[in-house]
Amino acid sequence: MNAIALAAIGLFVFVLGYRFYSKFVAEKIYRLDPNYVTPAHRYKDGVDFVPTNKFVLWGHHFTSVAGAAPILGPAIAVYWGWLPAVLWVVLGTVFAAGVHDFGTLVVSVRNKGQSMGTLANKLVGQRAKILFLFIILILVLMVNAVFAWVIANLFITFPSSVLPVFIQIPLAVWIGHAVYKRNSKMLVPSLIALAVMYLVAVLAAEYQILQIDLVRYMGGEEGAGIFGLGAISSAFFIWIIILMIYVYIASTLPVWKLLQPRDFINSHQLVVGLGILYLGLLFTNPEITAPITNPDANDVSWFPLLFITIACGAISGFHGLVSSGTSSKQLNKETDARFVGYFGAVGEGVLALISIIAVITFFPSADAFKDAYNSFGAASGGGLGNFVLGASQLAGGLGIPPEVAATIVSIIVVSFAATTLDTSVRLMRYIISELGTEYKVPALEKTHVATTIAVVSSAALVLIPEGPNGFGSGGYLLWPLFGTSNQLLAGINLLLISVWLKRLGRNYLITLIPMIFLMFMTLYAMFIQVFTQWAFWADQSSTLLFVFGAIIFGFALWISITAISALFNKDLPKIDPNE
């Protein structure tokens, strides 16, 4: 199939989904009320509860959920062929992700901006709440480790991306001050900031002096580095420490000071980046060289692993954490939830679709693709790099030099990953504080204590020296478990939304059907991974993955049984949607 035709079909389905299906869900199922007083107004505090323009909030929400995952997952999943990956991204976005992200936002807004973990108590019971909070805690810990690993490695591989990414921070602080202290508009300053970032990117790509290359500073790849770790491992260690210091500060600042303005810049960056890639696709008109389905992908079965390899980009439980953790506290009007939640999911689907196209058109021949994707392990290790190079090739259709294109693409990936990282640390701080309240440990309720625990545990996890990659491979190793845990969380969120809808006396099939599909695929995939691949009696045993996986699997089964019992309990009282 022609790559342009493939993109056009996918985009057309996304448009239909937002135009018609999301409207039906908004009006007939969730029944949005433009006069409802949202938590952002009711509990306005200038720190977490801040009424926000829907376009600015969409920017924060979208860039918080659109990290490296909707790029990396699809870039790996094309191992089984491009057709299964495209179908799951497109149909998953329209019928699962949009409903899930939209639904978790609405349920949270209707319940004082509380997280889905906290709401499990009201909808299902106290035990479910505690189990759910622990599942979320483990998931966000893995998100922190995975995305810190991705950013550190991109900084090492593409040192020209470092300066443009860090310049964004003072620019975002300046925009936040101008908007919220001087009542200025955010659009023009954010476009100026984006222009400055890309100007610096061009200069950094052309002049080595502007490239912050820690490996080079330590004598090159053969250098001794620090603590005898070698230059690459030392550079990785330093970047992790710098990133953890950054996210500590970013996750404790009021959202208007850094989070919202930086995310608004990144939303423009995403629009520009997607525009470059889709326009580049039109001008280059590349041939799809990857197979429709890959008969040689025999080492790992696509069923059910496809549905957890592509998590973000089709459906992701982490989105529900963002919707109910930060976005619900900033929603200005309830009717904005459709645009922020459902259209945010569509935006991620658009990103996942171009990620697939960039990879399947990058290789000069089918044999070259199969050589690069000769095993699932090779696909996992090379997926992100293949996307960066493939996207650079598409951008080259607009006359952008390859070095500059690679720098800009890596900046986009790093910016999104950093947004997800500090949002995730902020969410982890909320959860630790909630657990402190639950178990009457006042120290955990303090912002800086909870943030310190979040940051230190995340750094420790990403720096675990397990597996063939040695030092700092913890984040890489956690990627398979991240996918399964993420999808389990999405399934549980859909189950909780179904309980909420039933107790309101509304049609809950639109959330129940994708929940059943997702829970079956994910629990099946997780059982295979935990008990036949990672267990100590298996050939590919991993203590880290087995322990984390077994805990999450047990918790997920427990809370699922509890929630299903609640769903079919005829004696559950009706709830007031305006509580």
Side-chain angles (χ1 to χ4, degrees), residues 69-193:
I71 294 171
L72 182 55
I76 295 172
V78 293
Y79 170 65
W80 293 295
W82 60 260
L83 182 60
V86 169
L87 287 176
W88 176 226
V89 163
V90 173
L91 298 180
T93 294
V94 172
F95 295 108
V99 173
H100 169 272
D101 298 9
F102 187 6
T104 49
L105 182 56
V106 172
V107 173
S108 179
V109 166
R110 286 284 172 163
N111 289 274
K112 304 177 182 178
Q114 294 175 327
S115 70
M116 293 302 293
T118 302
L119 289 173
N121 182 28
K122 177 179 179 180
L123 297 171
V124 180
Q126 177 71 7
R127 182 181 298 167
K129 170 190 172 181
I130 301 302
L131 290 171
F132 200 22
L133 284 177
F134 274 110
I135 291 175
I136 294 171
L137 187 64
I138 294 172
L139 177 63
V140 294
L141 179 60
M142 287 191 295
V143 168
N144 297 342
V146 168
F147 283 86
W149 183 89
V150 166
I151 295 169
N153 277 282
L154 283 172
F155 278 164
I156 292 170
T157 307
F158 301 99
S160 56
S161 67
V162 176
L163 190 58
V165 168
F166 276 93
I167 276 179
Q168 186 187 47
I169 297 172
L171 290 172
V173 172
W174 162 66
I175 292 172
H177 180 76
V179 170
Y180 290 96
K181 292 298 183 182
R182 299 182 181 176
N183 203 28
S184 302
K185 298 295 184 183
M186 191 180 285
L187 178 60
V188 173
S190 65
L191 292 176
I192 293 172

Side-chain angles (χ1 to χ4, degrees), residues 144 247 251 420-429 451 454-455:
N144 297 342
V247 295
S251 62
T420 303
L421 180 61
D422 56 32
T423 299
S424 180
V425 171
R426 184 180 286 263
L427 291 171
M428 192 171 179
R429 186 243 296 175
T451 306
V455 167

Side-chain angles (χ1 to χ4, degrees), residues 17-33:
Y18 181 72
R19 174 65 181 83
F20 296 105
Y21 192 57
S22 74
K23 183 180 180 182
F24 164 75
V25 173
E27 294 178 353
K28 304 299 183 182
I29 308 298
Y30 296 147
R31 302 180 189 175
L32 304 184
D33 181 0

Side-chain angles (χ1 to χ4, degrees), residues 61-356:
H61 179 85
F62 184 22
T63 53
S64 292
V65 300
I71 294 171
L72 182 55
I76 295 172
V78 293
Y79 170 65
W80 293 295
W82 60 260
L83 182 60
V86 169
L87 287 176
W88 176 226
V89 163
V90 173
L91 298 180
T93 294
V94 172
F95 295 108
V99 173
H100 169 272
D101 298 9
F102 187 6
T104 49
L105 182 56
V106 172
V107 173
S108 179
V109 166
R110 286 284 172 163
N111 289 274
K112 304 177 182 178
Q114 294 175 327
S115 70
M116 293 302 293
T118 302
L119 289 173
N121 182 28
K122 177 179 179 180
L123 297 171
V124 180
Q126 177 71 7
R127 182 181 298 167
K129 170 190 172 181
I130 301 302
L131 290 171
F132 200 22
L133 284 177
F134 274 110
I135 291 175
I136 294 171
L137 187 64
I138 294 172
L139 177 63
V140 294
L141 179 60
M142 287 191 295
V143 168
N144 297 342
V146 168
F147 283 86
W149 183 89
V150 166
I151 295 169
N153 277 282
L154 283 172
F155 278 164
I156 292 170
T157 307
F158 301 99
S160 56
S161 67
V162 176
L163 190 58
V165 168
F166 276 93
I167 276 179
Q168 186 187 47
I169 297 172
L171 290 172
V173 172
W174 162 66
I175 292 172
H177 180 76
V179 170
Y180 290 96
K181 292 298 183 182
R182 299 182 181 176
N183 203 28
S184 302
K185 298 295 184 183
M186 191 180 285
L187 178 60
V188 173
S190 65
L191 292 176
I192 293 172
L194 186 60
V196 171
M197 284 178 63
Y198 283 172
L199 175 61
V200 173
V202 172
L203 294 174
E206 295 294 331
Y207 300 103
Q208 193 177 62
I209 193 173
L210 294 177
Q211 299 178 11
I212 303 177
D213 189 348
L214 296 185
V215 175
R216 189 179 80 234
Y217 297 158
M218 295 176 189
E221 294 185 9
E222 303 302 321
I226 58 175
F227 311 126
L229 294 172
I232 295 177
S233 293
S234 297
F236 182 87
F237 177 81
I238 292 170
W239 279 128
I240 293 299
I241 298 303
I242 292 172
L243 286 170
M244 291 300 133
I245 293 172
Y246 160 72
V247 295
Y248 185 100
I249 297 170
S251 62
T252 54
L253 286 174
V255 291
W256 62 266
K257 278 193 175 179
L258 177 59
L259 198 67
Q260 282 185 350
R262 192 212 46 216
D263 292 353
F264 197 54
I265 296 170
N266 284 340
S267 69
H268 295 309
Q269 186 172 192
L270 179 61
V271 171
V272 170
L274 289 175
I276 289 173
L277 295 181
Y278 278 100
L279 281 174
L281 176 66
L282 286 175
F283 280 96
T284 56
N285 192 20
E287 178 185 354
I288 296 177
T289 53
I292 296 177
T293 58
N294 186 5
D296 298 329
N298 298 318
D299 58 332
V300 177
S301 172
W302 72 272
F303 183 90
L305 294 181
L306 169 71
F307 303 101
I308 55 105
T309 300
I310 301 179
C312 301
I315 182 172
S316 163
F318 182 74
H319 295 195
L321 300 186
V322 175
S323 290
S324 66
T326 62
S327 299
S328 64
K329 297 175 176 64
Q330 302 171 58
L331 198 72
N332 185 41
K333 293 195 298 185
E334 190 176 69
T335 47
D336 293 345
R338 178 189 172 206
F339 180 78
V340 174
Y342 196 100
F343 192 59
V346 169
E348 187 159 85
V350 172
L351 176 59
L353 179 62
I354 197 63
S355 174
I356 292 171

Side-chain angles (χ1 to χ4, degrees), residues 145 149 229 233 236-237 240 457-478 541-545:
W149 183 89
L229 294 172
S233 293
F236 182 87
F237 177 81
I240 293 299
S457 58
S458 300
L461 188 57
V462 75
L463 292 172
I464 287 176
E466 180 177 325
N469 296 299
F471 176 79
S473 60
Y476 172 78
L477 286 172
L478 286 168
S541 62
S542 168
T543 303
L544 179 68
L545 292 176

